[in-house]
Structure formats: structure tokens, C-alpha cells
Amino acid sequence: METFNVVIADDHPIVLLGVRELVERDRRFNVVGEAVCPDGLIELLKSQAVDLLITDFNMPGDSPYGDGLKLVEFVTRHFPEVKVLVLTMISNPLILTRLQELGVLAVIQKSQLHVEIEVALKAIAKGNRVRSKGPAPTSVLNDGADLDERFSRLSPKEHEILRLFVQGQGVNEIARGLNRSAKTISTQKISAMRKLEVNSDQELLAYCIERNLFK
């Protein structure tokens, strides 16, 4: 019987425990490590053979590997042999589409954790494609020569807010992480949108993701 070495990464101990319990119900999967931060995750992937990574999308912390899209891109680029399942509460189609483009097997909504992980593990064990409830391909902004010039108008604070926004954080979460008020973060985000000449969160994400501005 083929077995799979699994690493689980999530900054919430209760989620780690719950996912481990779900994974270990199937004898074909062996949990060989757990991580609560991006640094710990990368060390695990470097130090042992891993077949499957089940990771949270957001793991706050000051890490050179980042979190969100930046972390997933690092993993898929440097550990291409590792299959990746992403856990998230995010439903934004642009972020989900980008995860698919990075080669993630499936994006599992935490609200459907028990059912979706079981389905995904069964498919992986059989060598089948994991059926993902991902979004249809999304349209992108028309490319233009002045897009980079617009981006250069951003202040350092606006740049940081957009980076966190693209990683999937909302205004309130960004405010807590940066120890600023939600009103300040919202104002700076709106200012950045004006400078970039975008009119909605969807356009803002499209601008940043399609231009790979926060690798």
C-alpha cells in the first residue's frame, strides 16, 4: 500500500489538531510534521521527504517567505514535488484563480473542512484529480504602458497595505496587524486605489496579481 508523508501548517493549534485527526483516519497518510509559521513550514520541507502539504492560506508573522500567495508561490516553485492543499476562509475568485495557476491541487474552505479534506485525500490516494470548487477563469485588466508609473505613485504605507490586501487580509485584520485604526487603513487603501486608477477591490486585486507586484 502506497503511503504519503504529510505536513500540516496552521497558526491555530485547534485547527492543526483537527486536520491531523482527519488525515490520520486514512492509513495511507502519515503526518510527519506540523508548523505554526512560514519559517517552520519551510524548514520541515527542507529537512525531510514530504508528499503532501496541507497549509492555511494566512499565517501571520514576519517571515521572508511571507504568507498567502507569496508563501504558496515559494513552496510550489522550490518544492515542485510536494502536492499542496490550501485551507482558507477566502472566497475571492481572483485569489482562488491565482492559487489554481500556482498548481495547488485544491482550495478547501474551512467551513467545509471535514467533508472536503476527506474527498481530497481519497482522490490523492487513488492518483485521481482532486475536484476543486474553484472559480471560473476571471478577466484581467487591460495591460497598459502606464501601469508601472501608477504603481510608483504609492507611498510606502500604501504599498504595505496593498501587499497585505493581496494576501487576503481585510481592512480590520490589516489594522490590527499594523496597530493602526481601521479608518486609517481604509483611507490609505482608497488613496492607493485612486493612484492606481481602479474602482473596485476586484480591479485592485487583478492589477496586483496579474502584474505580479508582490512576489
Side-chain angles (χ1 to χ4, degrees):
M1 179 177 64
E2 183 180 9
T3 59
F4 299 83
N5 288 338
V6 182
V7 163
I8 305 168
D10 197 295
D11 61 319
H12 293 91
I14 293 177
V15 176
L16 275 178
L17 181 63
V19 174
R20 173 187 274 273
E21 181 181 335
L22 290 171
V23 171
E24 291 185 336
R25 288 178 184 176
D26 191 322
R27 289 180 160 185
R28 294 168 292 188
F29 295 90
N30 177 38
V31 178
V32 297
E34 296 177 344
V36 296
C37 64
D39 290 351
L41 168 58
I42 299 305
E43 286 305 311
L44 280 174
L45 295 179
K46 288 180 177 178
S47 65
Q48 58 189 306
V50 178
D51 302 302
L52 174 64
L53 166 63
I54 303 174
T55 181
D56 191 8
F57 183 73
N58 287 120
M59 286 191 293
D62 185 14
S63 168
Y65 306 112
D67 77 325
L69 291 172
K70 182 178 179 181
L71 177 62
V72 173
E73 184 169 2
F74 184 90
V75 169
T76 56
R77 179 182 297 175
H78 291 85
F79 306 95
E81 72 283 357
V82 177
K83 299 177 176 65
V84 180
L85 297 177
V86 172
L87 310 178
T88 188
M89 296 177 67
I90 294 170
S91 58
N92 188 290
L94 284 166
I95 292 179
L96 299 182
T97 296
R98 181 59 181 152
L99 287 171
Q100 291 177 345
E101 292 171 350
L102 290 174
V104 168
L105 287 184
V107 178
I108 295 175
Q109 294 294 324
K110 286 189 173 181
S111 59
Q112 301 293 324
L113 188 63
H114 289 68
V115 175
E116 292 193 12
I117 278 192
E118 184 177 357
V119 171
L121 293 179
K122 286 181 179 179
I124 291 168
K126 294 179 180 179
N128 296 335
R129 181 178 178 181
V130 180
R131 293 184 178 180
S132 178
K133 298 179 180 179
T138 55
S139 60
V140 301
L141 292 178
N142 293 328
D143 200 1
D146 65 334
L147 290 180
D148 290 329
E149 192 277 329
R150 293 185 214 167
F151 188 69
S152 69
R153 303 174 193 167
L154 299 179
S155 71
K157 289 183 178 179
E158 290 167 348
H159 185 281
E160 177 67 3
I161 289 168
L162 290 193
R163 184 184 69 81
L164 296 171
F165 177 70
V166 169
Q167 289 178 355
Q169 296 187 33
V171 168
N172 289 332
E173 188 176 1
I174 294 172
R176 287 193 297 270
L178 297 180
N179 197 27
R180 300 180 207 162
S181 71
K183 183 177 180 180
T184 296
I185 297 300
S186 179
T187 299
Q188 291 172 330
K189 176 170 166 280
I190 291 171
S191 173
M193 292 173 69
R194 286 174 180 164
K195 291 177 182 178
L196 296 177
E197 300 177 25
V198 297
N199 299 312
S200 67
D201 285 356
Q202 293 285 76
E203 286 188 9
L204 180 60
L205 280 169
Y207 178 100
C208 295
I209 293 173
E210 296 302 327
R211 303 287 293 181
N212 291 317
L213 295 176
F214 295 104
K215 282 191 173 183

